[in-house]
Amino acid sequence: MTENIAITWRRIPERYRLAGSQCTSCKTKFFPPRKLCPDCRRKGKIESCGFSGKGKIYSFSEVHSAPAGLELEIPYVLAIVQLEEGPKLTAQVADCHGCDVQVGAPVEAVFRKIRSDDPEGLLHYGYKFRLVK
Amino acid sequence: MNSTGIVGFGAYVPPYRIKTEEIARVWGEEPQRIVKGLGVQEKSVPGLDEDAASLAVEAARNALSVARLDGSRVQAVYVGSESHPYAVKPTATMVAEAIGATPEVMAADLEFACKAGTAGLQIGMGLVASNMAEYVLAIGSDTSQGRPGDALEYTAAAGAAAFLVGRQKEQIVAKLEQTCSFTTDTPDFWRRQHAEFPSHGGRFTGEPAYFRHVMGATQALFEKTGMKASDFDYFVFHQPNGKFPLEAAKKMEIDVEKVKPGLLTPIIGNTYSAASPLGLCAVLDIAKPGQNICLTSFGSGAGSDAFWLQTTDLLPKARVRATHNLAWYVGRKQYLDYAMYAKYRRKLKSL
Ligand SMILES: [Zn+2]
């Protein structure tokens, strides 16, 4: 499973630092970034924005059968995280092997290696979320 | 030299640990003899999703919070490591992108065994003092490996420390008063291209390598500044084990109590490029305003960089702004047994 390099490259700002976008008229923030506000359409202007990286667990699932490249990491927790600013996104819970994840638990974004293409391929980095105790 | 100083500093240590006695158990060594001999009780181990780049990013983000600085203001990023994730492709570009410093930013990776981080600090001082940059980020980050069964396996650990160098008086938490280096070509430790584990000169790593360079640079700093050992409140030396820094202090007639606050190797192992920089973070987390700190790194091959820092009134208020400080990272820990450690460090050939 090798991602097209152009796609990897385009997504670097959102993956590395949660770069998103917001609508200047209704102030809604989007992640991943949108180019058009679904509510304001042409009346809204879109500008780039960042996120604090703070949020909470909205839902989660423990993965025991991993996709190729993540076999060594099982069991791990995949969660839907709701960011403080509103948007929800799917990410792995970092440093969590059999740890106690609860819906509503506060989390913070961390920068981690997500996977490696193959021993001579590209390394992919991005966000995961760590439980804040 | 125009005045420069540290405006932000940040640490990172991975959450996993392995005890020295657990490694000794596997290799049939007497655990207490190793613990006593090295002065190291346990060391940090990175997770499967961590490497020198990810460690560097988290330390950098802490440094930016302490400085209350947006990443876009950083004009140069230097990452020193002996475990850069790629042989060819910079770590500094990943860090610069992750903190939002791109694209108008100078960036490069540095290598000088365990002193690549302090080499970045010197470059930062130069760029800021000469007005070539307003803010420079200098990072030491490593996820070091020792050959299974080798003496280095007991100490080779992981961590990162980041420093933001600036010149604004209203932001400086520790003035960088002076620096000097002591460098020779000394073959004490090396790793060839494509080799997985480093080789070293055994006992040779002590006297002609570590002690000669650490003491040479520290004494050169004393001469250059007119400072004496008694003028400093803290000394932070490179710490390949828990004993060398204390022995170096004794040889230079420095009170070992001034060394202990910045000595982390006994509880997190040797974090290589981050070792003395993390020691400096530990001291900056407790120092009072107006105190003098001597930092001397050591990198095999070999060289030492010595620095004289003086803390300012701004330090106590600034340090609490870190998202997480060094003590937080050191305090959270999950122990691994050797089997899990072998998996995490991919020491098994088939992984
Ligand atoms: Zn809108």
Side-chain angles (χ1 to χ4, degrees):
Chain A
M1 182 178 80
T2 302
E3 189 178 70
N4 177 292
I5 282 190
I7 292 174
T8 302
W9 173 70
R10 264 200 296 278
R11 291 184 178 158
I12 279 176
E14 62 191 78
R15 287 180 177 171
Y16 283 21
R17 56 172 191 272
L18 292 174
S21 65
Q22 70 177 334
C23 170
T24 52
S25 54
C26 71
K27 305 291 176 207
T28 308
K29 293 194 167 192
F30 305 106
F31 189 89
R34 279 178 177 262
K35 290 197 172 98
L36 191 70
C37 175
D39 294 328
C40 309
R41 311 293 299 178
R42 298 255 163 72
K43 281 177 248 156
K45 226 187 100 202
I46 290 285
E47 61 181 15
S48 52
C49 78
F51 293 91
S52 66
K54 292 190 167 54
K56 57 182 200 280
I57 302 278
Y58 179 80
S59 179
F60 68 94
S61 169
E62 194 169 67
V63 178
H64 290 271
S65 177
L70 294 175
E71 299 92 338
L72 288 180
E73 301 201 27
I74 57 164
Y76 63 85
V77 175
L78 201 61
I80 297 174
V81 168
Q82 177 151 33
L83 297 173
E84 196 169 67
E85 297 88 349
K88 292 188 197 80
L89 49 87
T90 303
Q92 211 175 315
V93 177
D95 313 329
C96 179
H97 308 278
C99 71
D100 187 25
V101 183
Q102 305 273 349
V103 168
V107 291
E108 60 188 2
V110 292
F111 176 90
R112 294 291 170 94
K113 188 164 68 187
I114 303 298
R115 60 188 179 82
S116 160
D117 280 349
D118 61 62
E120 296 198 3
L122 200 66
L123 299 170
H124 297 263
Y125 295 83
Y127 52 81
K128 291 191 180 181
F129 286 81
R130 174 170 62 205
L131 293 170
V132 187
K133 287 181 192 106
Chain B
M1 192 170 73
N2 292 321
S3 61
T4 65
I6 288 173
V7 300
F9 61 98
Y12 180 76
V13 180
Y16 306 101
R17 302 284 183 277
I18 184 166
K19 287 182 182 288
T20 302
E21 57 190 62
E22 172 65 6
I23 301 173
R25 179 182 69 84
V26 170
W27 301 112
E29 299 277 359
E30 172 57 50
Q32 283 318 307
R33 192 182 66 81
I34 305 274
V35 171
K36 268 186 136 179
L38 294 170
V40 176
Q41 285 135 31
E42 56 194 51
K43 66 166 191 173
S44 63
V45 180
L48 282 162
D49 58 357
E50 297 189 289
D51 61 19
S54 70
L55 270 54
V57 168
E58 190 154 340
R61 286 177 175 165
N62 280 318
L64 289 164
S65 330
V66 167
R68 273 192 300 208
L69 197 73
D70 189 78
S72 60
R73 304 284 305 278
V74 174
Q75 291 170 336
V77 176
Y78 296 98
V79 184
S81 181
E82 62 117 64
S83 50
H84 289 292
Y86 290 95
V88 177
K89 193 194 171 305
T91 307
T93 52
M94 294 188 251
V95 176
E97 196 76 60
I99 63 167
T102 49
E104 283 176 49
V105 61
M106 295 180 244
D109 286 3
L110 303 174
E111 281 187 33
F112 196 144
C114 298
K115 84 157 189 79
T118 57
L121 197 52
Q122 287 180 327
I123 294 173
M125 287 172 72
L127 290 175
V128 172
S130 63
N131 291 336
M132 278 181 69
E134 187 79 20
Y135 298 104
V136 177
L137 182 62
I139 304 172
S141 179
D142 261 311
T143 55
S144 304
Q145 288 263 42
R147 193 185 302 277
D150 185 272
L152 284 179
E153 198 189 12
Y154 292 102
T155 53
F163 300 100
L164 270 166
V165 182
R167 76 169 80 84
Q168 303 299 334
K169 248 203 174 119
E170 318 64 66
Q171 294 177 314
I172 292 176
V173 300
K175 291 185 272 178
L176 284 156
E177 299 280 9
Q178 193 52 269
T179 182
C180 61
S181 297
F182 188 99
T183 309
T184 71
D185 191 48
T186 303
D188 58 323
F189 174 98
W190 60 89
R191 181 163 62 83
R192 292 278 299 272
Q193 196 77 270
H194 309 302
E196 266 185 82
F197 300 111
S199 304
H200 56 85
R203 298 187 72 85
F204 188 72
T205 56
E207 213 52 61
Y210 178 87
F211 292 105
R212 179 169 178 230
H213 294 80
V214 166
M215 292 167 63
T218 306
Q219 273 149 2
L221 184 75
F222 288 173
E223 273 165 41
K224 198 169 176 178
T225 59
M227 295 281 282
K228 309 183 292 294
S230 56
D231 295 327
F232 287 95
D233 301 283
Y234 297 100
F235 283 87
V236 180
F237 296 130
H238 177 55
Q239 32 203 277
N241 52 53
K243 296 189 122 178
F244 276 17
L246 300 175
E247 279 176 46
K250 282 180 198 150
K251 284 173 198 271
M252 289 185 281
E253 295 178 344
I254 291 164
D255 180 0
V256 293
E257 294 307 316
K258 293 181 177 179
V259 179
K260 287 179 182 170
L263 185 54
L264 297 162
T265 301
I267 49 170
I268 61 168
N270 177 8
T271 53
Y272 283 57
S273 297
S276 56
L278 279 175
L280 177 59
C281 290
V283 168
L284 291 175
D285 275 338
I286 56 162
K288 297 186 188 83
Q291 290 195 305
N292 292 302
I293 304 165
C294 170
L295 163 72
T296 307
S297 62
F298 170 72
S300 290
S304 282
D305 304 325
F307 300 82
W308 167 24
L309 298 100
Q310 189 178 65
T311 57
T312 72
D313 293 340
L314 301 179
L315 177 62
K317 272 195 182 147
R319 63 190 170 206
V320 298
R321 293 197 292 256
T323 307
H324 298 296
N325 66 8
L326 178 60
W328 186 85
Y329 290 110
V330 170
R332 59 163 195 163
K333 50 189 176 183
Q334 295 177 43
Y335 287 102
L336 302 176
D337 59 18
Y338 195 91
M340 285 302 284
Y341 165 70
K343 174 180 156 180
Y344 274 45
R345 299 307 283 133
R346 296 170 194 256
K347 281 174 186 268
L348 305 175
K349 267 289 173 206
S350 62
L351 298 180

